[in-house]
Amino acid sequence: MTSSKNGGIIRSILIQGDGGSSPNDGATVEIAIKGMYKGRIFDTRDLKFDLDYGLEYDIVSGIEKALRKFKCGEKSLLMLSPKYAFGTTGSEIYNIPADATVQYEVQLFNFLKAKEHWDMGPSEKLELAMKQKDHGTFLFKRDCVAKALRMYKKAVKSLEYSPGYTEEESKLRESYLLSLHLNCALCLLKLESWNGAVDSSDMALQIDSINEKALFRKAQALLGRKDYEEAISNFQKLVSHYPTNQAAHNGIISAKQLAKRERLKLKNHYNGMFEKFAKKDEQKETLDKSRSSINDEPIGYWSNEMADGMISLHQEMEAFGEKMPEKSTGGGNSSPKH
């Protein structure tokens, strides 16, 4: 059932559903689950929740992913690989070890599809975005950073511009977007996605050009991708607006130290290259002198060694805007003109 068809989720249908539609993102589902590991039942319950928010109910991602394919009334047995169950940490609550494959018997009793964005009014979009933002924060606090980032990006998408916002709603939308871009930047910093963190910080700065968090996170991202001079400039801008921000002062010191270290590293690298080239030139000069003492080549002498690193005569003449003389196409010898 996974997009890569790698066997991460294997679904065996026990009772067919009604053949209608399936739940979409955000749909409210009513289900019964029974979790099993090596013949032991570790979780059995009935519950109702919205898809995408299952982790708040200790529902593993494999169940949420599978439910998007279920029909109403369907009952299936799911075999979930660790990636779609409890991962590399396992579960203390259910006494599941790390990297465990588990099974769930899942039945979908009923569901209510969520509204699509184009069917929502401004107030509904704002409500959805806040719900998505709050869930992203819940995921972030659980150290599910990549999942939190996806949820924050969904919230941004929910607020894509559409007509109909009142002045008050427009201000609220802008404040939500600022917060969401800042949260995206924070997630991307933790994931060491430096370019993405710069982009998200820039999106926040488009809303508030001197936002303290946006300036700091952009400077951190620039530092991460080794744009030291630009990082210093951004930290200095931050200090100019927020003189008491000690982290920014420390950032300037760190960036200058790293820039100096990088320059020294490059200098040593190129010095080593120059020494290597000088040594080769010295060896070549010694070899040329040796050949000169042994052979007395006439003027115009040519050897293949002389061609090392040279371009062809055609290339050389073209570089200076000249042309090779054309070959004679006449049938016989032409007489020189006097």
Side-chain angles (χ1 to χ4, degrees):
M1 291 188 70
T2 55
S3 57
S4 58
K5 300 189 184 298
N6 58 6
I9 302 174
I10 299 174
R11 166 183 167 218
S12 303
I13 297 176
L14 305 176
I15 300 175
Q16 291 284 351
D18 64 8
S21 61
S22 299
N24 61 348
D25 288 353
T28 302
V29 296
E30 296 179 36
I31 63 171
I33 62 171
K34 181 167 70 174
M36 296 164 283
Y37 175 66
K38 292 187 174 180
R40 172 175 63 86
I41 298 173
F42 62 83
D43 184 16
T44 177
R45 54 192 162 126
D46 294 356
L47 70 156
K48 179 180 179 179
F49 70 99
D50 294 344
L51 288 183
D52 281 340
Y53 304 88
L55 196 59
E56 294 186 25
Y57 300 85
D58 289 321
I59 296 295
V60 295
S61 64
I63 292 178
E64 285 201 277
K65 197 172 184 70
L67 280 169
R68 287 170 170 81
K69 303 287 187 182
F70 271 48
K71 307 300 180 184
C72 193
E74 178 181 330
K75 183 177 183 180
S76 288
L77 181 66
L78 305 177
M79 182 174 290
L80 307 179
S81 69
K83 179 180 177 181
Y84 298 99
F86 299 102
T88 57
T89 57
S91 171
E92 290 186 12
I93 297 173
Y94 298 124
N95 193 24
I96 305 295
D99 299 314
T101 296
V102 299
Q103 289 181 314
Y104 274 96
E105 195 175 271
V106 180
Q107 184 161 16
L108 175 62
F109 295 124
N110 200 5
F111 69 90
L112 177 64
K113 280 199 169 189
K115 266 190 178 183
E116 300 294 349
H117 289 168
W118 53 82
D119 289 328
M120 292 183 179
S123 60
E124 290 174 306
K125 288 183 178 181
L126 288 167
E127 186 179 345
L128 175 62
M130 178 53 72
K131 182 179 178 180
Q132 291 168 326
K133 175 181 175 291
D134 288 345
H135 186 59
T137 302
F138 167 83
L139 293 169
F140 187 84
K141 289 178 179 178
R142 292 278 293 263
D143 205 27
C144 302
V145 181
K147 290 179 179 179
L149 177 61
R150 285 195 293 273
M151 189 55 64
Y152 289 139
K153 286 185 174 181
K154 281 188 175 184
V156 170
K157 189 174 180 181
S158 296
L159 295 175
E160 285 178 345
Y161 183 76
S162 63
Y165 284 101
T166 65
E167 185 178 348
E168 185 180 346
E169 287 171 338
S170 293
K171 289 179 180 178
L172 194 57
R173 172 182 174 272
E174 193 172 77
S175 69
Y176 284 1
L177 284 171
L178 175 60
S179 178
L180 288 165
H181 290 312
L182 289 171
N183 289 352
C184 285
L186 181 59
C187 289
L188 290 160
L189 283 170
K190 288 207 71 170
L191 296 170
E192 297 186 358
S193 179
W194 311 124
N195 290 336
V198 169
D199 291 342
S200 288
S201 299
D202 281 338
M203 293 293 286
L205 290 168
Q206 286 179 21
I207 299 171
D208 179 0
S209 62
I210 58 169
N211 183 273
E212 188 172 10
K213 288 181 179 179
L215 288 169
F216 185 71
R217 287 171 190 174
K218 181 176 180 179
Q220 283 183 304
L222 291 167
L223 199 62
R225 73 180 191 189
K226 301 183 179 179
D227 287 347
Y228 300 124
E229 297 305 323
E230 201 174 341
I232 291 168
S233 175
N234 275 264
F235 278 127
Q236 288 172 337
K237 183 178 179 181
L238 179 56
V239 167
S240 70
H241 291 289
Y242 306 95
T244 60
N245 190 317
Q246 190 56 49
H249 288 283
N250 294 338
I252 293 171
I253 295 169
S254 296
K256 286 181 175 179
Q257 289 174 341
L258 289 167
K260 183 178 179 181
R261 191 182 303 169
E262 188 70 15
R263 286 194 296 270
L264 184 61
K265 184 180 176 181
L266 286 171
K267 182 181 177 183
N268 291 336
H269 173 72
Y270 285 117
N271 282 344
M273 287 178 62
F274 293 143
E275 289 175 8
K276 184 179 178 181
F277 292 145
K279 190 174 181 181
K280 282 189 175 182
D281 289 342
E282 187 180 336
Q283 290 172 343
K284 190 173 185 298
E285 188 178 341
T286 302
L287 184 61
D288 289 344
K289 286 180 180 178
S290 173
R291 285 174 175 166
S292 178
S293 63
I294 296 172
N295 300 318
D296 186 18
E297 294 96 349
I299 295 174
Y301 170 80
W302 177 265
S303 69
N304 287 335
E305 287 83 355
M306 295 179 184
D308 287 348
M310 291 178 65
I311 62 175
S312 70
L313 184 57
H314 282 280
Q315 290 173 311
E316 182 177 333
M317 295 191 76
E318 286 175 5
F320 287 93
E322 299 172 353
K323 291 185 178 180
M324 287 287 288
E326 296 182 2
K327 294 181 180 179
S328 173
T329 57
N333 294 329
S334 58
S335 300
K337 294 181 181 180
H338 297 285

